[in-house]
Amino acid sequence: MRWLVGWSSAAASAATSVAGIGSAGTTGYEGETVQPVGSQPLWGDPDPLWAVGDWRPDEIRVVQADAQTRIAVLGTCGATDEQLRVALFAARGGALRHLTAWPGSYTAVVQVGRRITVCGDLAGARPVFHTPWAGGTAYATAALPLADLVEANLDFGHLAALLAAPDVPAALHDSTPYEGVRRVPPGHALILRAGAREIAGYEPVASLAVAAPPADPAGAVDAVRDALVDAVRVRLDAPRHVPGIDIDPGPVPGMGPAERRAARGMPVPGIGADLSGGPASGALALLAAGLPGRPGTVLGHGTGAGERLLAVTFNDLAVPGREAEVERAGALAANPRLHHVVVTGSEETLPFADLDGPLTDEPAASLISAGRHRARLAAGSADHFTGYGARQVLDAHPARLADLLMDRKRRHLVRPVAALAKADGSVLVPARVYAAARRLARTPYRSGVEALSDQLMRHRFDEPGGAVGASLAALTWARPGPAARWLTGEALAEVSVRLQSAAGRTGAMGVGPGQRPGDFRARAALARQAAELRVLEQAAEIRFQRLHAPFLDNQVVRACRALPEALRVQPGARAAILRTVLEGAGVTDLPPGWGAASGASSAAAARTGLRVATTSLVDLFASPLLAEAGLVEARVVRKALRSAAQGDPLPLDGFADLVSLELWLRRLLSRRGTCWTGTPARQRAVPAGIPPRDRALGTATRT
């Protein structure tokens, strides 16, 4: 896990316990000097900044104009040092957007005098957190270090909202699982002036007075192609790393170099990519293999495949139905620039099967499948491309049908509605979908949030059936999460109160003037996917490996948001866009069926894994921490688990949310140590554990 942390004090003398950049620190509540454990200082007092974790040397760059004007960029950034220097001078005047416009995935921190600016990304994959501390403000790219710093307790209202309404920004707002630790929304920057904090957006706001010019579909797709190519190229241009080359224990009887590396959990040197047979991972693999350079292993290491990209396909033998995908992946891997590896999975790699893992910064549903992904990534490369986020940035959320009605583009609804009617086989589908889209187009966001609040209070959790039912349920501003049905009445009431109090804070919820429901729902879905990927990267982490998700880069997200809605809503739009992107990059020989929908969804694997792991899951909820916190009734959850294992149509995503949160709580409370040095009196996050049940939610209400 890698993160950066720093703070801005209210006065220069508040952080002068130790001078010099090599020993920067500050005085805490009891007079101790605190520093992050395992950190390297980037600059010192009075507003110090550290990088913590196993950062590569090329992932940290600091460009300095003078003693009080400098910029630090952490991550993969395509800007040259000269571009960083020019941007630093431009940032003196308060300009922010240019700091987020370079290819790659990174976090930029700018210091101009006593003003500190920390830029988050558009998707939310690189978030920024902050909390009041020692008369100023501490910030970090992880929430747990800040929670340790201020000895924060759990925010049970936030945990209840994660289960009841995970896709609703009004329910979560800027809170985190830790009391007092706040999150900077995607597309915003944290600005600190001598300890005082401000949250500022850096994306332009659409004008209501002048209509936006009609987007050119061909030009928009070309922009997506250019952004994706730049995102892949900046990672290919980065220095190559040979993981663990200095700790190879030497020959082992019956084991070659690859087997020894796999036994140690080390990735293959060089660059690789997922190759699932789907359009997103396939497009990235072909782009990375086709661009000039050496995408494969480092010259002189490995098995001689120095100019080939390692393509990894996961074949789940425990759940049939993915034969067509694996066959398409094999056809793609026939490219001489690719070296294909197939990783087979059994019952041990099913979701819910392997529940052991490290503590992550936050909880997420991806914790139940971390072992499954770890098995695939262990066969990957030191730099591994993934297609995460492609669906959220390219596909059309069903609520975008309401956006088309608001723009008076009814004719563009014909093909998507016809596809739904064909899938359902009913002639009534077009009328139902049109009525739902029309109703959403005429419903203000505040009314949608209030309707969800009432729905939670009345315990109304109707599960939609089929593609049409899911689309109709998505044609709303907000809807309950799949785990909401198993929460206690007190927990649902807490979330309902949060929604009602947020209904009057339209601007604070990220809904500005002219905000369209489809665009808003799509941004919320992207933020949740980015948060899931961030937790998955921590839970399934392979030492010395870097996961790359180019679809979540700022410039790729911007290019995808410029795609016309009329293009997005057409059936098969994602595959068609990526096919055009590949053709523009010179890749034309795609196998038959490329871009086809998966024959077996991840729900089949989740249901099989739930059935196999029923006994261990029931034991997990024999005396759960969620019940101690007043969020669920253990008996209700155990009954639901047994019913789902017997085939009852219960939402599997809800079980993933419950199990993941329970696992995360147990790992958090059983951890030892803290993220900070100091005196032995230094505590850590949640020092008192979970409070008594009758006070757990009440504490969160007062924050």
Side-chain angles (χ1 to χ4, degrees):
M1 183 174 173
R2 294 165 298 280
W3 40 281
L4 63 88
V5 62
W7 51 67
S8 176
S9 56
S13 60
T16 56
S17 57
V18 181
I21 189 172
S23 58
T26 195
T27 303
Y29 296 115
E30 300 179 0
E32 75 274 24
T33 299
V34 293
Q35 288 181 323
V37 175
S39 63
Q40 54 178 311
L42 302 184
W43 58 66
D45 295 326
D47 302 315
L49 176 67
W50 291 274
V52 185
D54 59 336
W55 293 95
R56 294 172 175 175
D58 58 284
E59 291 176 332
I60 301 178
R61 285 193 292 165
V62 178
V63 175
Q64 184 167 331
D66 54 55
Q68 292 297 318
T69 306
R70 46 200 168 189
I71 180 173
V73 177
L74 291 90
T76 303
C77 180
T80 63
D81 287 350
E82 183 60 28
Q83 288 175 318
L84 293 179
R85 189 170 290 105
V86 172
L88 180 57
F89 291 126
R92 285 179 170 179
L96 298 178
R97 191 175 187 272
H98 68 285
L99 299 174
T100 67
W102 298 304
S105 178
Y106 56 89
T107 301
V109 183
V110 175
Q111 181 186 42
V112 179
R114 296 301 311 281
R115 186 183 70 193
I116 303 290
T117 302
V118 190
C119 296
D121 64 338
L122 288 175
R126 288 182 169 270
V128 178
F129 304 90
H130 61 93
T131 186
W133 186 70
T137 300
Y139 62 90
T141 54
L144 182 57
L146 296 183
D148 280 347
L149 185 65
V150 300
E151 302 172 9
N153 290 311
L154 289 170
D155 185 344
F156 293 98
H158 176 87
L159 299 182
L162 278 179
L163 296 175
D167 295 323
V168 184
L172 300 173
H173 191 37
D174 63 348
S175 62
T176 67
Y178 315 99
E179 285 185 351
V181 180
R182 300 297 175 185
R183 182 194 314 271
V184 176
H188 289 69
L190 174 67
I191 303 176
L192 304 174
R193 294 181 176 89
R197 60 185 175 274
E198 173 190 354
I199 308 297
Y202 53 75
E203 285 296 279
V205 179
S207 172
L208 296 180
V210 180
D216 174 34
V221 175
D222 288 345
V224 173
R225 179 201 62 209
D226 295 341
L228 268 179
V229 169
D230 289 343
V232 173
R233 181 178 285 117
V234 72
R235 290 164 170 89
L236 295 181
D237 291 341
R240 304 297 167 81
H241 294 269
V242 183
I245 193 68
D246 56 337
I247 58 174
D248 193 334
V252 177
M255 296 178 66
E259 287 79 9
R260 295 200 305 270
R261 184 172 49 245
R264 298 195 310 271
M266 298 292 180
V268 177
I271 295 181
D274 284 340
L275 190 63
S276 66
S281 63
L284 290 178
L286 292 175
L287 280 177
L291 291 177
R294 292 180 178 271
T297 56
V298 179
L299 188 63
H301 300 283
T303 59
E307 294 186 0
R308 294 197 292 172
L309 179 137
L310 180 65
V312 180
T313 298
F314 184 79
N315 185 16
D316 192 352
L317 301 181
V319 181
R322 296 189 179 272
E323 293 79 9
E325 278 195 16
V326 176
E327 184 178 351
R328 284 196 298 270
L332 288 172
N335 187 320
R337 287 180 173 269
L338 297 178
H339 175 62
H340 195 206
V341 173
V342 178
V343 178
T344 58
S346 59
E347 288 189 353
E348 288 74 16
T349 60
L350 286 170
F352 301 103
D354 183 7
L355 299 182
D356 293 330
L359 172 65
T360 56
D361 190 43
E362 296 181 278
S366 55
L367 291 180
I368 59 105
S369 58
R372 182 181 184 86
H373 293 283
R374 194 182 301 113
R376 182 188 85 252
L377 296 175
S381 297
D383 289 277
H384 198 76
F385 285 94
T386 64
Y388 291 110
R391 183 185 304 274
Q392 285 71 27
V393 298
L394 289 175
D395 285 7
H397 193 281
R400 287 192 184 272
L401 298 178
D403 296 358
L404 291 175
L405 287 182
M406 296 174 69
D407 291 337
R408 302 182 182 275
K409 297 180 179 178
R410 297 179 179 86
R411 63 186 180 90
H412 296 294
L413 274 68
V414 174
R415 289 186 59 190
V417 172
L420 286 174
K422 182 179 179 180
D424 188 76
S426 172
V427 297
L428 300 178
V429 169
R432 295 169 59 195
V433 173
Y434 182 83
R438 188 167 179 263
R439 181 169 55 252
L440 176 59
R442 297 184 174 187
T443 302
Y445 183 69
R446 179 170 183 171
S447 299
V449 172
E450 291 174 345
L452 174 61
S453 175
D454 181 70
Q455 194 174 355
L456 294 178
M457 290 296 293
R458 296 176 181 271
H459 292 215
R460 295 169 52 193
F461 309 115
D462 299 330
E463 187 67 21
V468 176
S471 297
L472 292 175
L475 282 167
T476 56
W477 277 106
R479 59 183 302 240
R485 65 187 62 218
W486 298 305
L487 295 187
T488 62
E490 183 184 13
L492 292 175
E494 166 73 9
V495 180
S496 179
V497 170
R498 290 170 70 102
L499 290 171
Q500 291 174 3
S501 62
R505 294 186 281 111
T506 303
M509 292 185 293
V511 185
Q515 179 72 67
R516 301 174 184 274
D519 181 67
F520 180 77
R521 290 294 304 272
R523 291 172 187 252
L526 175 61
R528 189 183 184 195
Q529 171 65 14
E532 290 278 347
L533 175 60
R534 177 173 173 264
V535 171
L536 175 63
E537 185 177 4
Q538 299 169 9
E541 183 178 19
I542 302 296
R543 191 180 181 190
F544 301 117
Q545 187 179 66
R546 295 291 186 271
L547 294 185
H548 300 285
F551 285 102
L552 298 181
D553 288 4
N554 285 341
Q555 289 300 79
V556 177
V557 171
R558 287 189 177 104
C560 292
R561 285 179 178 175
L563 291 170
E565 291 179 347
L567 175 64
R568 289 176 178 273
V569 299
Q570 305 310 318
R574 173 161 45 109
I577 292 171
L578 291 178
R579 183 186 293 272
T580 306
V581 166
L582 289 176
E583 291 175 352
V587 181
T588 57
D589 51 343
L590 297 177
W594 186 86
S598 173
S601 66
S602 58
R607 188 168 296 280
T608 303
L610 181 65
R611 185 177 66 251
V612 172
T614 300
T615 302
S616 60
L617 293 178
V618 170
D619 293 341
L620 181 69
F621 283 90
S623 55
L625 296 176
L626 289 175
E628 292 184 24
L631 298 179
V632 301
E633 291 285 351
R635 173 185 54 83
V636 173
V637 176
R638 292 196 299 267
K639 180 180 178 181
L641 286 170
R642 295 190 182 98
S643 299
Q646 295 172 1
D648 290 355
L650 295 174
L652 298 177
D653 292 345
F655 291 115
D657 292 339
L658 284 174
V659 174
S660 297
L661 184 52
E662 176 67 22
L663 290 174
W664 182 81
L665 286 174
R666 294 187 178 219
R667 295 171 187 174
L668 178 66
L669 296 184
S670 63
R671 69 188 286 246
R672 296 182 178 181
T674 175
C675 296
W676 298 87
T677 63
T679 66
R682 167 60 45 185
Q683 295 290 333
R684 59 178 182 268
V686 199
I690 295 181
R693 176 174 178 173
D694 58 344
R695 296 201 302 266
L697 291 176
T699 302
T701 305
R702 293 192 295 270
T703 61

